[in-house]
């Protein structure tokens, strides 16, 4: 019912040439992946050129961040219209690295998500608890608050256009994946939070899991009823690895 969505978050990796080389290796590997949405999020400098490379393919282009204003005196920032101009269909907002390293707040994330939707792009809104919050048994409360605040400005009828990414901070880049059961527990609660905000439309909202997703654990994660995709950092940097994640149904799970 919900179309799986697999996204590569390259973070601050890859030059323009490296991004083009990735695309040329990767696109033939996923050309038959027509039952899923596939997204590449390169650094801002590679968006334009990678967009040209992806044109004509089913693979979507995503930014890793955006500014909520249309234009103006915001040195170093990029507007929604500028992302659309280079072919972006998506932008990641509120990644935990932006929240913790750059002080981004849920209120800002919410403004960005609304600006993206107004400008014709789809936001990938990230939420996730810290290790300290998990150990204090506050995960579901933290996620509920982040979801409520980060989607506050999203118009009621646009809920299904949002992709939510649940990324426990303790699992990002650490090799420590949440078990499929732990991830499912949070995804199910998160869908309940979305239902409080968007009603029945919450059933159509895709929730990705992120945090040390690899070819060998993706199938078990995707087998969970409320896990609709993956947001992948480290394992998305090599075409072979990310293509295996896109073809998760071919990877053997343990279940
Ligand atoms: P990781 O990163 O796959 O390297 O853990 C995921 C993310 O931060 O989106």
């Amino acid at each position: 019912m919900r179309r799986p969505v697999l996204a590569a978050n390259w973070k601050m990796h890859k030059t323009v040439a490296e991004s083009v080389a990735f695309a040329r290796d990767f696109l033939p590997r996923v050309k038959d992946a027509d039952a899923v949405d596939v997204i590449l999020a390169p650094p801002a400098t590679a968006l334009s050129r990678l967009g040209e490379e992806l044109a004509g393919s089913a693979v979507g282009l995503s930014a890793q961040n955006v500014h909520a204003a249309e234009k103006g005196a915001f040195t170093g920032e990029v507007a929604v219209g500028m992302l659309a101009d280079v072919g972006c269909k998506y932008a990641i907002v509120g990644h935990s690295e932006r929240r913790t390293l750059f002080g981004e707040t849920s209120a800002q994330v919410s403004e960005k998500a609304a600006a993206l939707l107004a400008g014709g792009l789809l936001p990938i809104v990230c939420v996730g608890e810290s290790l300290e919050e998990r150990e204090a048994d506050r995960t579901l409360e933290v996620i509920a608050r982040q979801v409520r605040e980060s989607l506050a400005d999203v118009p009621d009828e646009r809920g299904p256009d949002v992709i939510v990414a649940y990324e426990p901070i303790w699992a990002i880049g650490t090799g420590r994946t949440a078990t499929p059961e732990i991830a499912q527990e949070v995804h199910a609660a998160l869908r309940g939070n979305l239902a409080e905000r968007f009603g029945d439309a919450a059933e159509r909202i895709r929730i990705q899991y992120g945090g040390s997703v690899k070819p060998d654990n993706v199938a078990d994660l995707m087998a969970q009823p409320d896990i609709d995709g993956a947001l992948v950092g480290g394992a998305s940097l090599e075409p072979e690895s990310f293509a295996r994640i896109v073809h998760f149904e071919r990877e053997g799970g343990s279940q």
Side-chain angles (χ1 to χ4, degrees):
M1 182 184 60
R2 291 182 293 269
R3 191 174 159 86
V5 55
L6 294 310
N9 174 13
W10 289 350
K11 309 190 180 184
M12 202 166 74
H13 296 284
K14 294 194 191 294
T15 62
V16 172
E18 288 164 350
S19 301
V20 169
F22 180 105
R24 292 187 178 169
D25 185 328
F26 178 70
L27 288 178
R29 296 177 187 267
V30 298
K31 63 178 185 319
D32 55 343
D34 45 17
V36 299
D37 288 335
V38 182
I39 299 170
L40 300 181
T45 47
L47 282 171
S48 178
R49 183 67 189 82
L50 185 63
E52 290 171 14
E53 209 62 34
L54 300 182
S57 83
V59 176
L61 185 68
S62 175
Q64 298 176 13
N65 184 27
V66 67
H67 194 280
E70 209 174 305
K71 59 184 166 189
F74 301 103
T75 300
E77 296 293 317
V78 175
V80 175
M82 296 165 186
L83 297 181
D85 186 39
V86 295
C88 282
K89 301 259 182 320
Y90 308 85
I92 300 168
V93 290
H95 189 280
S96 63
E97 286 150 19
R98 297 227 47 94
R99 291 177 187 262
T100 59
L101 302 174
F102 304 101
E104 200 162 300
T105 64
S106 290
Q108 289 171 321
V109 174
S110 168
E111 284 179 19
K112 292 178 182 202
L116 286 163
L117 289 166
L121 275 73
L122 304 183
I124 300 174
V125 178
C126 303
V127 296
E129 83 285 5
S130 66
L131 184 59
E132 198 185 4
E133 289 163 340
R134 172 157 288 270
E135 287 177 344
D137 213 8
R138 292 183 49 223
T139 298
L140 299 185
E141 160 207 332
V142 166
I143 299 301
R145 191 185 65 240
Q146 285 183 3
V147 167
R148 190 172 63 247
E149 294 177 354
S150 304
L151 300 179
D153 298 303
V154 171
D156 291 345
E157 70 283 4
R158 299 299 307 273
D161 295 324
V162 174
I163 298 170
V164 178
Y166 167 59
E167 300 202 304
I169 296 172
W170 47 270
I172 294 178
T174 57
R176 211 181 136 180
T177 329
T179 63
E181 293 72 25
I182 288 177
Q184 166 58 23
E185 182 195 10
V186 180
H187 280 234
L190 207 163
R191 198 175 302 286
N193 303 143
L194 292 171
E196 285 166 26
R197 174 69 169 76
F198 298 107
D200 291 346
E203 284 303 313
R204 287 158 47 212
I205 300 179
R206 294 179 292 180
I207 309 176
Q208 296 176 312
Y209 170 79
S212 299
V213 175
K214 306 275 183 262
D216 63 6
N217 62 24
V218 66
D220 283 342
L221 288 160
M222 292 300 291
Q224 299 295 322
D226 288 291
I227 299 184
D228 310 313
L231 181 55
V232 188
S236 75
L237 293 171
E238 294 300 327
E240 197 256 352
S241 165
F242 189 51
R244 283 177 62 194
I245 289 171
V246 167
H247 289 294
F248 63 88
E249 78 290 347
R250 295 182 193 162
E251 296 292 324
S254 60
Q255 295 167 356

